[in-house]
Amino acid sequence: MRLLALAGFAQVEAGRTLDLSDPASLSFAIMPELVLCAGAMVMLLVAAWRPEGAAHSRRVALGSMVVALLSLVAVLFMQWQGHAAGPGPIAVDGFRWSSDVVFLLATVIAIGLSMDYNTREGINAPESHVLVLLATVGMMVMAGARDLMVLFLGIETMSVAVYVLVGMNRRSARSAEGALKYFLLGAFSTAFLLYGIALVFGATGSTNLSVIGGRIGALSMGDSPMLLVGIALLLVGFAFKLAAAPFHMWAPDVYEGAPTPITAYMAAAVKAAAFAAFLRVFIEAFGHLYESWHAAMWWLAALTMFAGNLIALQQRNLKRMLAYSSIGHTGFLLVAATAATSQVAGAFLFYLLAYTLATMGAFAVIIALGTGEHPRERVEDYHGLWTEKPGIAIAMAVFMLAMLGFPVFGGMGFFAKWYVLQAALDAAAPQFRLAIMLVLATTISAGYYLYVVMVMFMKPRPEQATPLPVVGVMSRAVIYAAVVVLLAFGVFPDPVVRWSRNGTELRPAMPPAAALPVPLGR
Amino acid sequence: MIPEALALSAVLFTIGAIGVLTRRNAILIFMCVELMLNAVNLTFVALSKLYGVTGQVFVVFVMTVAAAEAAVGLAIIIAIFRHGQTVNLKNINLLKG
């Protein structure tokens, strides 16, 4: 049987349209997920094989990284082949593969950082690395979901794994509190999302995004109350997952309580996955109803930008500051989403890559400088870092400038903001006011990003400061690799622009409305 | 039958949502979330009378996911009880800022 399936794979030539009703083609379409899932299962067995110990934990971490890299190879292979897919529950397009690349990159970085962090904190939990892999499976399913049922399963696969990861440090009461808050609000938001799905299903008679989009377009269901309430509930559910204001309250607490590598993973990958699914649902299924949801999204974007950046100004704990800054970045990405053109996906993916590298790099610096007794999460701990660890100080400055969107020294960060602005202004309905607000909010954010840079280079190191630890191998590798990539692609952004724009356009679905029972909404 | 079932599930969902917002005991909040999920299940079952099995299939998935969520959630609640001997959110406030 297996040989037959493999033969089926071999028959599929480059650039074909896959028929998803055929099991062999379907498993080919989800190959990267299968690789990651199977690898995670194997690593789970390996993790349980031997008694807990630091050496064993490192072995599992390295194995998990290899599994994630294998899956990354599968994703790049699929992207290179450039298949398309017929109607079905899974999308096979550039948007999915490019998002997957970002998730897997964040996964490898998070596992690497966990290795250093777990050793330092004495967390002997080899399964934490496997849980990161399982969460990534959920993310990849979310990015590819073209059916609300698949989307729901992806979200839950991711969320359940991340609930556990947040509470991974069993000795820490803060970690447990963060996990409880994340779990309760995550489950609450899932209920909203699910009710939204149910109402959309009730109004249109399908859970498939293409069919929903097609029916909404063909039957002009813009005035169906059931559909509109469903869309509103979906928007609320997604806003919770994205930590968009006014649904962002959980994020700073959870980000502060979680182990730092997991915070980095959540700020980058979990947010990216929620955004990828959000964009696909709202453009492919509800693209024809742009007028109905545009105003709500507009306010969400405006509120999120200002709430995130203004509250970040008051923070003196670096983890909380970065949490609020990530809320601000959600707002910037929502600006692109509000424009809802087919180019949005390109701007979004470029931003995502730059933001992932900068955020994870900044968290890597926090991990690199902290020790069990001195977590070094406050801004005061960074005073005069330049005199003690010049390399790390320069790296941190690059990350801060990248998040700010500073030209040249901020590397890709500048182009990321630039493309989002461009997407907002080039749209069919240009978002002038949002673009102005984006620039204003960026100016506000300079207040805290530049403050961190300032204290590192200009303040003296306090006399009674305890000596800084030796930076772990993995943290060092992550920090310098992120700096090099950010700066290199900041000077030559073309390859990343091509990668983020090639075949990633999302369009409202346009199939003919099938002859099915007339939906409730009409 | 369908409109009545949909109305009932809307009422149940609202009761659950209000419960989550007003209760302060972690376990009660979790039960309210389960009530919300089951209200959604009722909607799906009612709608499957109209559209065929899709709704029922979805219900099976929702129940499975809810079970997984309950397992993880109760474990987290036990972990937090071990730290503070309480599951009341009023007393769980280390993270602030």
Short mmCIF file of all heavy atoms in Angstrom, two decimals, chain A residues 305-356:
data_model
loop_
_atom_site.label_atom_id
_atom_site.label_comp_id
_atom_site.label_asym_id
_atom_site.label_seq_id
_atom_site.Cartn_x
_atom_site.Cartn_y
_atom_site.Cartn_z
N MET A 305 -3.12 49.83 17.36
CA MET A 305 -1.86 50.55 17.17
C MET A 305 -1.57 51.47 18.34
O MET A 305 -0.48 51.48 18.89
CB MET A 305 -1.94 51.42 15.90
CG MET A 305 -1.60 50.70 14.65
SD MET A 305 -1.40 51.85 13.31
CE MET A 305 -3.04 52.42 12.99
N PHE A 306 -2.58 52.26 18.72
CA PHE A 306 -2.33 53.26 19.75
C PHE A 306 -2.28 52.64 21.13
O PHE A 306 -1.39 52.97 21.93
CB PHE A 306 -3.36 54.38 19.67
CG PHE A 306 -3.06 55.32 18.56
CD1 PHE A 306 -3.81 55.35 17.41
CD2 PHE A 306 -1.96 56.17 18.64
CE1 PHE A 306 -3.50 56.19 16.36
CE2 PHE A 306 -1.64 57.02 17.61
CZ PHE A 306 -2.42 57.03 16.46
N ALA A 307 -3.20 51.72 21.43
CA ALA A 307 -3.18 51.10 22.76
C ALA A 307 -1.84 50.42 22.99
O ALA A 307 -1.17 50.65 24.01
CB ALA A 307 -4.32 50.10 22.89
N GLY A 308 -1.41 49.60 22.03
CA GLY A 308 -0.16 48.86 22.21
C GLY A 308 1.01 49.78 22.43
O GLY A 308 1.76 49.65 23.40
N ASN A 309 1.17 50.78 21.55
CA ASN A 309 2.37 51.61 21.62
C ASN A 309 2.34 52.58 22.79
O ASN A 309 3.37 52.85 23.39
CB ASN A 309 2.56 52.35 20.30
CG ASN A 309 3.07 51.41 19.23
OD1 ASN A 309 4.02 50.69 19.45
ND2 ASN A 309 2.42 51.41 18.09
N LEU A 310 1.15 53.10 23.13
CA LEU A 310 1.09 54.04 24.25
C LEU A 310 1.37 53.34 25.58
O LEU A 310 2.12 53.85 26.41
CB LEU A 310 -0.27 54.74 24.29
CG LEU A 310 -0.43 55.87 23.28
CD1 LEU A 310 -1.86 56.37 23.28
CD2 LEU A 310 0.53 57.00 23.59
N ILE A 311 0.75 52.15 25.78
CA ILE A 311 0.97 51.48 27.07
C ILE A 311 2.41 50.98 27.16
O ILE A 311 3.00 50.96 28.23
CB ILE A 311 -0.04 50.34 27.26
CG1 ILE A 311 -1.46 50.89 27.10
CG2 ILE A 311 0.09 49.74 28.65
CD1 ILE A 311 -2.54 49.85 27.15
N ALA A 312 2.99 50.62 26.02
CA ALA A 312 4.38 50.14 26.04
C ALA A 312 5.32 51.22 26.59
O ALA A 312 6.33 50.91 27.21
CB ALA A 312 4.82 49.73 24.64
N LEU A 313 4.96 52.49 26.36
CA LEU A 313 5.80 53.58 26.83
C LEU A 313 6.01 53.53 28.34
O LEU A 313 7.06 53.92 28.84
CB LEU A 313 5.14 54.92 26.49
CG LEU A 313 5.33 55.47 25.09
CD1 LEU A 313 4.57 56.76 24.95
CD2 LEU A 313 6.80 55.69 24.81
N GLN A 314 4.97 53.05 29.08
CA GLN A 314 5.06 53.09 30.55
C GLN A 314 5.76 51.87 31.12
O GLN A 314 5.97 51.81 32.32
CB GLN A 314 3.66 53.12 31.16
CG GLN A 314 2.77 54.17 30.56
CD GLN A 314 1.33 53.91 30.96
OE1 GLN A 314 1.02 52.93 31.62
NE2 GLN A 314 0.45 54.80 30.53
N GLN A 315 6.08 50.87 30.29
CA GLN A 315 6.58 49.62 30.85
C GLN A 315 8.06 49.72 31.18
O GLN A 315 8.84 50.27 30.42
CB GLN A 315 6.36 48.47 29.86
CG GLN A 315 4.92 48.30 29.49
CD GLN A 315 4.02 48.06 30.67
OE1 GLN A 315 4.39 47.33 31.60
NE2 GLN A 315 2.86 48.67 30.68
N ARG A 316 8.43 49.14 32.34
CA ARG A 316 9.83 49.08 32.69
C ARG A 316 10.33 47.65 32.74
O ARG A 316 11.49 47.39 33.04
CB ARG A 316 10.07 49.79 34.04
CG ARG A 316 10.02 51.30 33.90
CD ARG A 316 11.12 51.78 32.96
NE ARG A 316 10.92 53.15 32.52
CZ ARG A 316 10.39 53.49 31.35
NH1 ARG A 316 10.00 52.56 30.50
NH2 ARG A 316 10.24 54.74 31.01
N ASN A 317 9.42 46.70 32.52
CA ASN A 317 9.82 45.31 32.40
C ASN A 317 9.91 45.02 30.90
O ASN A 317 8.95 45.23 30.16
CB ASN A 317 8.77 44.42 33.07
CG ASN A 317 9.08 42.95 32.92
OD1 ASN A 317 9.37 42.48 31.83
ND2 ASN A 317 9.01 42.22 34.00
N LEU A 318 11.08 44.56 30.46
CA LEU A 318 11.31 44.43 29.02
C LEU A 318 10.36 43.42 28.38
O LEU A 318 9.90 43.62 27.25
CB LEU A 318 12.77 44.01 28.79
CG LEU A 318 13.36 44.48 27.48
CD1 LEU A 318 13.23 45.98 27.32
CD2 LEU A 318 14.82 44.08 27.40
N LYS A 319 10.04 42.33 29.11
CA LYS A 319 9.14 41.33 28.53
C LYS A 319 7.75 41.94 28.31
O LYS A 319 7.12 41.72 27.28
CB LYS A 319 9.03 40.12 29.45
CG LYS A 319 9.95 38.97 29.06
CD LYS A 319 9.97 37.92 30.12
CE LYS A 319 9.22 36.67 29.72
NZ LYS A 319 9.35 35.61 30.75
N ARG A 320 7.28 42.71 29.30
CA ARG A 320 5.97 43.35 29.14
C ARG A 320 6.02 44.38 28.04
O ARG A 320 5.07 44.56 27.27
CB ARG A 320 5.53 44.00 30.45
CG ARG A 320 4.98 43.06 31.46
CD ARG A 320 4.41 43.82 32.63
NE ARG A 320 3.00 44.10 32.45
CZ ARG A 320 2.04 43.23 32.75
NH1 ARG A 320 2.32 42.05 33.20
NH2 ARG A 320 0.78 43.55 32.57
N MET A 321 7.14 45.12 27.98
CA MET A 321 7.27 46.14 26.94
C MET A 321 7.18 45.51 25.56
O MET A 321 6.46 45.98 24.68
CB MET A 321 8.61 46.87 27.10
CG MET A 321 8.81 47.99 26.11
SD MET A 321 10.51 48.57 26.13
CE MET A 321 10.50 49.61 27.56
N LEU A 322 7.89 44.38 25.40
CA LEU A 322 7.85 43.71 24.10
C LEU A 322 6.46 43.13 23.83
O LEU A 322 6.04 43.04 22.68
CB LEU A 322 8.91 42.61 24.04
CG LEU A 322 10.35 43.12 23.90
CD1 LEU A 322 11.33 41.98 24.03
CD2 LEU A 322 10.54 43.82 22.58
N ALA A 323 5.75 42.73 24.91
CA ALA A 323 4.38 42.24 24.73
C ALA A 323 3.51 43.35 24.16
O ALA A 323 2.77 43.15 23.19
CB ALA A 323 3.82 41.74 26.05
N TYR A 324 3.59 44.54 24.77
CA TYR A 324 2.78 45.65 24.25
C TYR A 324 3.25 46.06 22.87
O TYR A 324 2.44 46.44 22.01
CB TYR A 324 2.81 46.83 25.22
CG TYR A 324 1.87 46.65 26.38
CD1 TYR A 324 2.32 46.40 27.66
CD2 TYR A 324 0.50 46.71 26.16
CE1 TYR A 324 1.45 46.21 28.71
CE2 TYR A 324 -0.38 46.53 27.21
CZ TYR A 324 0.09 46.29 28.48
OH TYR A 324 -0.78 46.09 29.51
N SER A 325 4.56 46.00 22.64
CA SER A 325 5.05 46.34 21.30
C SER A 325 4.50 45.35 20.28
O SER A 325 4.14 45.72 19.17
CB SER A 325 6.58 46.36 21.31
OG SER A 325 7.10 45.48 20.38
N SER A 326 4.37 44.07 20.68
CA SER A 326 3.81 43.11 19.74
C SER A 326 2.34 43.39 19.48
O SER A 326 1.83 43.14 18.38
CB SER A 326 4.04 41.68 20.22
OG SER A 326 2.94 41.23 20.96
N ILE A 327 1.64 43.93 20.49
CA ILE A 327 0.26 44.36 20.25
C ILE A 327 0.25 45.50 19.23
O ILE A 327 -0.56 45.53 18.30
CB ILE A 327 -0.41 44.79 21.57
CG1 ILE A 327 -0.56 43.59 22.48
CG2 ILE A 327 -1.77 45.42 21.31
CD1 ILE A 327 -1.02 43.92 23.88
N GLY A 328 1.20 46.44 19.38
CA GLY A 328 1.30 47.53 18.42
C GLY A 328 1.53 47.00 17.01
O GLY A 328 0.92 47.47 16.05
N HIS A 329 2.40 45.96 16.89
CA HIS A 329 2.67 45.40 15.57
C HIS A 329 1.43 44.73 14.99
O HIS A 329 1.22 44.76 13.78
CB HIS A 329 3.83 44.42 15.65
CG HIS A 329 5.17 45.08 15.77
ND1 HIS A 329 5.76 45.72 14.72
CD2 HIS A 329 5.98 45.25 16.83
CE1 HIS A 329 6.91 46.24 15.13
NE2 HIS A 329 7.06 45.98 16.41
N THR A 330 0.62 44.11 15.87
CA THR A 330 -0.65 43.56 15.40
C THR A 330 -1.47 44.66 14.73
O THR A 330 -2.08 44.47 13.68
CB THR A 330 -1.46 43.00 16.59
OG1 THR A 330 -0.66 42.06 17.28
CG2 THR A 330 -2.73 42.35 16.12
N GLY A 331 -1.46 45.84 15.36
CA GLY A 331 -2.20 46.98 14.78
C GLY A 331 -1.67 47.34 13.40
O GLY A 331 -2.45 47.55 12.47
N PHE A 332 -0.32 47.36 13.25
CA PHE A 332 0.25 47.70 11.95
C PHE A 332 -0.18 46.68 10.90
O PHE A 332 -0.51 47.03 9.76
CB PHE A 332 1.78 47.73 12.02
CG PHE A 332 2.31 48.79 12.95
CD1 PHE A 332 3.51 48.61 13.61
CD2 PHE A 332 1.61 49.96 13.18
CE1 PHE A 332 4.00 49.58 14.48
CE2 PHE A 332 2.09 50.92 14.04
CZ PHE A 332 3.29 50.73 14.69
N LEU A 333 -0.18 45.39 11.29
CA LEU A 333 -0.58 44.36 10.33
C LEU A 333 -2.07 44.46 10.01
O LEU A 333 -2.48 44.18 8.89
CB LEU A 333 -0.25 42.98 10.88
CG LEU A 333 1.22 42.59 10.74
CD1 LEU A 333 1.53 41.36 11.55
CD2 LEU A 333 1.55 42.34 9.28
N LEU A 334 -2.86 44.88 11.01
CA LEU A 334 -4.30 45.04 10.76
C LEU A 334 -4.55 46.16 9.75
O LEU A 334 -5.54 46.13 9.03
CB LEU A 334 -5.04 45.32 12.07
CG LEU A 334 -5.37 44.10 12.92
CD1 LEU A 334 -5.86 44.52 14.28
CD2 LEU A 334 -6.42 43.26 12.24
N VAL A 335 -3.67 47.14 9.72
CA VAL A 335 -3.81 48.20 8.71
C VAL A 335 -3.76 47.58 7.32
O VAL A 335 -4.59 47.88 6.45
CB VAL A 335 -2.70 49.26 8.86
CG1 VAL A 335 -2.72 50.22 7.69
CG2 VAL A 335 -2.87 50.01 10.16
N ALA A 336 -2.78 46.67 7.13
CA ALA A 336 -2.69 46.00 5.83
C ALA A 336 -3.94 45.17 5.59
O ALA A 336 -4.48 45.15 4.48
CB ALA A 336 -1.45 45.11 5.78
N ALA A 337 -4.42 44.48 6.65
CA ALA A 337 -5.59 43.63 6.47
C ALA A 337 -6.82 44.46 6.12
O ALA A 337 -7.67 44.02 5.35
CB ALA A 337 -5.85 42.83 7.74
N THR A 338 -6.92 45.67 6.69
CA THR A 338 -8.08 46.51 6.41
C THR A 338 -8.12 46.91 4.94
O THR A 338 -9.19 47.09 4.37
CB THR A 338 -8.03 47.77 7.29
OG1 THR A 338 -7.78 47.36 8.62
CG2 THR A 338 -9.33 48.53 7.24
N ALA A 339 -6.93 47.05 4.32
CA ALA A 339 -6.90 47.42 2.91
C ALA A 339 -7.44 46.28 2.05
O ALA A 339 -8.10 46.53 1.04
CB ALA A 339 -5.48 47.78 2.50
N ALA A 340 -7.13 45.02 2.45
CA ALA A 340 -7.71 43.85 1.80
C ALA A 340 -7.57 43.82 0.29
O ALA A 340 -8.50 43.49 -0.42
CB ALA A 340 -9.18 43.68 2.20
N THR A 341 -6.41 44.18 -0.24
CA THR A 341 -6.18 43.95 -1.67
C THR A 341 -5.46 42.62 -1.81
O THR A 341 -5.05 42.03 -0.82
CB THR A 341 -5.27 45.04 -2.27
OG1 THR A 341 -4.12 45.14 -1.44
CG2 THR A 341 -5.97 46.36 -2.35
N SER A 342 -5.27 42.18 -3.06
CA SER A 342 -4.60 40.88 -3.23
C SER A 342 -3.11 41.01 -2.92
O SER A 342 -2.44 40.02 -2.68
CB SER A 342 -4.82 40.37 -4.65
OG SER A 342 -4.49 41.36 -5.58
N GLN A 343 -2.57 42.25 -2.90
CA GLN A 343 -1.15 42.41 -2.58
C GLN A 343 -0.90 42.37 -1.07
O GLN A 343 0.26 42.35 -0.65
CB GLN A 343 -0.60 43.74 -3.09
CG GLN A 343 -0.28 43.73 -4.57
CD GLN A 343 -1.52 44.05 -5.36
OE1 GLN A 343 -2.28 44.93 -5.00
NE2 GLN A 343 -1.74 43.29 -6.42
N VAL A 344 -1.97 42.41 -0.27
CA VAL A 344 -1.78 42.45 1.18
C VAL A 344 -0.92 41.31 1.65
O VAL A 344 -0.04 41.47 2.48
CB VAL A 344 -3.15 42.42 1.87
CG1 VAL A 344 -2.98 42.08 3.33
CG2 VAL A 344 -3.84 43.74 1.73
N ALA A 345 -1.15 40.13 1.07
CA ALA A 345 -0.43 38.94 1.53
C ALA A 345 1.08 39.14 1.41
O ALA A 345 1.83 38.76 2.31
CB ALA A 345 -0.88 37.73 0.73
N GLY A 346 1.52 39.76 0.31
CA GLY A 346 2.95 39.98 0.13
C GLY A 346 3.53 40.87 1.22
O GLY A 346 4.53 40.53 1.85
N ALA A 347 2.86 42.01 1.48
CA ALA A 347 3.32 42.93 2.51
C ALA A 347 3.31 42.24 3.87
O ALA A 347 4.24 42.37 4.67
CB ALA A 347 2.43 44.16 2.54
N PHE A 348 2.26 41.45 4.10
CA PHE A 348 2.09 40.75 5.36
C PHE A 348 3.24 39.77 5.60
O PHE A 348 3.85 39.74 6.67
CB PHE A 348 0.74 40.04 5.33
CG PHE A 348 0.57 38.95 6.34
CD1 PHE A 348 0.34 39.25 7.66
CD2 PHE A 348 0.63 37.63 5.95
CE1 PHE A 348 0.18 38.25 8.59
CE2 PHE A 348 0.47 36.62 6.88
CZ PHE A 348 0.25 36.93 8.19
N LEU A 349 3.58 38.99 4.57
CA LEU A 349 4.63 37.97 4.75
C LEU A 349 5.98 38.61 4.97
O LEU A 349 6.78 38.15 5.79
CB LEU A 349 4.65 37.04 3.53
CG LEU A 349 3.46 36.10 3.47
CD1 LEU A 349 3.36 35.45 2.11
CD2 LEU A 349 3.57 35.04 4.54
N PHE A 350 6.26 39.69 4.25
CA PHE A 350 7.54 40.38 4.44
C PHE A 350 7.63 40.92 5.86
O PHE A 350 8.62 40.73 6.56
CB PHE A 350 7.65 41.53 3.43
CG PHE A 350 9.03 42.13 3.37
CD1 PHE A 350 9.92 41.76 2.39
CD2 PHE A 350 9.44 43.08 4.31
CE1 PHE A 350 11.19 42.30 2.34
CE2 PHE A 350 10.71 43.62 4.27
CZ PHE A 350 11.58 43.23 3.28
N TYR A 351 6.54 41.56 6.31
CA TYR A 351 6.51 42.11 7.66
C TYR A 351 6.73 41.00 8.69
O TYR A 351 7.50 41.14 9.64
CB TYR A 351 5.15 42.77 7.91
CG TYR A 351 5.15 43.75 9.06
CD1 TYR A 351 5.14 45.11 8.82
CD2 TYR A 351 5.16 43.32 10.37
CE1 TYR A 351 5.14 46.02 9.86
CE2 TYR A 351 5.17 44.22 11.42
CZ TYR A 351 5.16 45.56 11.16
OH TYR A 351 5.18 46.45 12.19
N LEU A 352 6.05 39.89 8.44
CA LEU A 352 6.10 38.77 9.37
C LEU A 352 7.52 38.26 9.53
O LEU A 352 7.97 37.99 10.65
CB LEU A 352 5.23 37.65 8.81
CG LEU A 352 4.50 36.84 9.81
CD1 LEU A 352 3.66 37.74 10.69
CD2 LEU A 352 3.61 35.86 9.10
N LEU A 353 8.24 38.13 8.42
CA LEU A 353 9.60 37.60 8.50
C LEU A 353 10.48 38.58 9.29
O LEU A 353 11.21 38.17 10.20
CB LEU A 353 10.16 37.38 7.10
CG LEU A 353 11.49 36.65 7.07
CD1 LEU A 353 11.34 35.25 7.62
CD2 LEU A 353 12.06 36.58 5.66
N ALA A 354 10.40 39.86 8.95
CA ALA A 354 11.22 40.86 9.64
C ALA A 354 10.88 40.89 11.12
O ALA A 354 11.75 40.88 11.99
CB ALA A 354 11.00 42.23 9.01
N TYR A 355 9.57 40.89 11.42
CA TYR A 355 9.12 41.00 12.80
C TYR A 355 9.52 39.76 13.60
O TYR A 355 9.95 39.86 14.75
CB TYR A 355 7.60 41.19 12.79
CG TYR A 355 6.95 41.00 14.11
CD1 TYR A 355 7.05 41.97 15.10
CD2 TYR A 355 6.23 39.84 14.40
CE1 TYR A 355 6.46 41.79 16.33
CE2 TYR A 355 5.64 39.65 15.62
CZ TYR A 355 5.76 40.62 16.58
OH TYR A 355 5.19 40.42 17.80
N THR A 356 9.38 38.58 12.99
CA THR A 356 9.76 37.34 13.67
C THR A 356 11.23 37.37 14.06
O THR A 356 11.59 37.07 15.20
CB THR A 356 9.48 36.13 12.76
OG1 THR A 356 8.10 36.12 12.44
CG2 THR A 356 9.86 34.84 13.43
#
